[in-house]
């Protein structure tokens, strides 16, 4: 008898995200960011997380502002529409969080190494830069075959990867359209995987099931969360809500402003259904992808 993977978002976070975990929740670059899952992490009061990802586009800034985070391993944290992540900057400058600075490439290489079960990957892309001074993540090594020195990128193992997909079946076979970013590497580098999905479908409804990006054997929980990535774009389903990002950026300029934003959009809504009701059907309809 197969294990039932379909569950509520509340249950998925309660079972699979633990205090102190290393978590990837922003592996699709600017797209498919699992904001609904991130907000549930806040509601459940998770602490001491290490967040891993190339570009988080405000979700990591929110988790930092809510006191969930001890460390960041990323290429960039902020708000693509307006630049700065104010909570991130305040926390980093005060010493409240630690930062390991990656490029998009070196982050992907570290995740891939963990996915392959090897201790490091190699690159020449950051040779001669100050990034190599972060010796917990990078080391200069000799080519064992006699060539030039190169940089070793330490494997980045994850406790949890949270991915938002356009389509997923009950067994966790997920079909993701558009830019994958570090999605595949993150899923394979993680001990536990949660997939939130806009559409929960039967296996025979997947468009060419053999092209599912994420095989169900890697997935622990499947959560049907329509609009679970808002305000991030989801290719072929939803456009980016630029106005929402702009409003968040303005609110988060100050700690008081962020506290008010959190009260309205995280603590003040019980779940993603209530969040969407607060947004309104007209706004969500206007964001529906046209192509």
């Amino acid at each position: 008898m197969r294990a039932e993977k379909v569950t509520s978002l509340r249950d998925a976070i309660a079972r699979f995200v633990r205090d102190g975990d290393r978590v990837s929740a922003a592996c699709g670059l600017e797209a498919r960011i699992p904001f609904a899952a991130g907000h549930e992490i806040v509601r459940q009061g998770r602490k001491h997380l290490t967040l891993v990802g190339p570009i988080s586009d405000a979700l990591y800034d929110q988790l930092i502002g809510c006191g969930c985070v001890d460390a960041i391993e990323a290429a960039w944290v902020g708000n693509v529409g307006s630049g700065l992540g104010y909570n991130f900057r305040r926390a980093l400058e005060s010493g409240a969080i630690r930062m390991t600075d990656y490029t998009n490439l070196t982050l992907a290489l570290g995740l891939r190494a963990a996915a392959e079960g090897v201790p490091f990957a190699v690159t020449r892309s950051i040779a001669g830069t100050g990034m190599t001074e972060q010796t917990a993540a990078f080391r200069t090594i000799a080519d064992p075959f006699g060539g030039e020195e190169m940089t070793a990128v330490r494997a980045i193992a994850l406790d949890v990867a949270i991915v938002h997909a356009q389509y997923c079946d009950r067994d966790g076979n997920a079909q993701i359209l558009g830019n994958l970013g570090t999605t595949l590497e993150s899923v394979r580098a993680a001990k536990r995987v949660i997939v939130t999905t806009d559409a929960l479908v039967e296996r025979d409804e997947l468009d060419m099931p053999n092209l599912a990006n994420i095989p169900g054997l890697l997935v622990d929980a499947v959560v049907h969360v329509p609009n679970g990535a808002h305000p991030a774009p989801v290719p072929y389903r939803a456009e980016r809500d630029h106005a929402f990002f702009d409003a968040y950026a303005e609110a988060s300029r100050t700690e008081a402003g962020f506290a008010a934003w959190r009260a309205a959009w995280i603590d003040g809504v019980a779940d993603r259904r209530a969040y969407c009701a607060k947004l309104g059907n007209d706004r969500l309809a206007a964001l529906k992808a046209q192509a």
Side-chain angles (χ1 to χ4, degrees):
M1 183 178 179
R2 73 182 188 186
E4 178 60 48
K5 296 181 181 182
V6 178
T7 186
S8 68
L9 186 56
R10 184 175 299 171
D11 181 63
I13 298 302
R15 290 175 61 195
F16 297 115
V17 181
R18 302 158 191 171
D19 287 353
D21 275 351
R22 177 177 273 109
V23 179
S24 168
C27 51
L29 300 177
E30 297 173 32
R32 300 180 299 95
I33 297 174
F35 278 94
H39 293 175
E40 185 59 30
I41 287 172
V42 173
R43 293 188 195 100
Q44 295 194 20
R46 293 294 179 270
K47 301 290 185 184
H48 310 304
L49 302 178
T50 295
L51 301 181
V52 179
I55 294 175
S56 72
D57 208 353
L59 177 58
Y60 283 7
D61 189 68
Q62 292 168 16
L63 289 167
I64 292 167
C66 291
C68 301
V69 180
D70 281 2
I72 293 283
E73 298 176 4
W76 186 81
V77 178
N79 187 328
V80 169
S82 58
L84 190 64
Y86 294 103
N87 289 320
F88 167 68
R89 180 169 182 169
R90 284 190 288 265
L92 195 61
E93 290 180 344
S94 71
I97 62 170
R98 304 182 305 277
M99 175 75 183
T100 304
D101 192 16
Y102 287 85
T103 63
N104 284 342
L105 174 61
T106 54
L107 195 289
L109 289 172
L111 290 168
R112 181 175 177 178
E116 294 177 351
V118 296
F120 60 86
V122 296
T123 184
R124 291 192 175 94
S125 66
I126 59 171
T129 72
M131 295 184 72
T132 58
E133 297 172 10
Q134 302 172 107
T135 55
F138 306 112
R139 298 289 175 90
T140 300
I141 62 172
D143 180 348
F145 298 100
E148 299 177 4
E149 289 187 334
M150 61 192 71
T151 302
V153 183
R154 187 173 185 173
I156 304 171
L158 301 172
D159 294 299
V160 188
I162 306 174
V163 174
H164 188 76
Q166 285 94 338
Y167 307 99
C168 191
D169 70 16
R170 292 179 173 274
D171 292 323
N173 298 297
Q175 212 162 55
I176 296 171
L177 308 176
N179 193 351
L180 295 175
T182 60
T183 301
L184 304 187
E185 294 87 350
S186 296
V187 166
R188 287 165 173 79
K191 298 174 185 174
R192 303 180 295 278
V193 177
I194 299 170
V195 174
T196 62
T197 183
D198 279 322
L200 183 63
V201 300
E202 297 302 322
R203 177 77 64 87
D204 59 6
E205 293 180 277
L206 288 174
D207 181 20
M208 299 181 70
N210 60 310
L211 296 183
N213 308 84
I214 300 173
L217 62 89
L218 298 176
V219 176
D220 296 280
V222 177
V223 188
H224 185 206
V225 192
N227 302 300
H230 179 274
V234 178
Y236 306 102
R237 294 192 68 89
E239 304 291 348
R240 188 178 190 271
D241 192 338
H242 298 289
F244 196 93
F245 277 107
D246 291 344
Y248 171 76
E250 187 60 33
S252 61
R253 284 179 180 273
T254 66
E255 292 185 48
F258 173 73
W261 185 93
R262 172 182 174 176
W265 289 103
I266 300 180
D267 300 330
V269 290
D271 52 26
R272 185 53 42 150
R273 180 173 296 181
Y275 175 100
C276 290
K278 185 178 179 70
L279 281 171
N281 290 333
D282 290 346
R283 184 169 190 168
L284 290 171
L287 292 169
K288 187 175 180 179
Q290 300 301 307

